[in-house]
């Protein structure tokens, strides 16, 4: 059981490290930041506007 928990902890630590590296890369590159943040926010706005229009009529 101890070996299993140690392995799970090691995997979790590595995944968090990878996520940090990906986050730093996205924040450091303006084009990636645009596609990772701005495009989904625009999609969210369009979706909410579409839902608003569909509930009116």
């Amino acid at each position: 059981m101890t070996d299993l928990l140690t392995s799970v902890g090691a995997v979790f630590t590595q995944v968090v490290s990878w996520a940090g590296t990906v986050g730093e890369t996205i924040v450091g590159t303006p084009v990636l930041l645009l596609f990772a943040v701005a495009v989904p926010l625009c999609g969210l706005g369009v979706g909410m506007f579409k839902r608003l229009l569909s509930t009116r009529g």
Side-chain angles (χ1 to χ4, degrees):
M1 188 65 175
T2 304
D3 292 338
L4 175 67
L5 290 176
T6 302
S7 297
V8 169
V11 169
F12 182 76
T13 302
Q14 188 62 40
V15 168
V16 169
S17 172
W18 290 337
T21 302
V22 169
E24 288 174 2
T25 303
I26 288 175
V27 170
T29 309
V31 174
L32 289 177
L33 186 61
L34 176 72
F35 283 108
V37 176
V39 171
L41 285 177
C42 289
L44 179 67
V46 168
M48 293 178 93
F49 187 69
K50 187 176 178 183
R51 180 178 283 179
L52 178 68
L53 290 179
S54 69
T55 57
R56 280 188 46 207

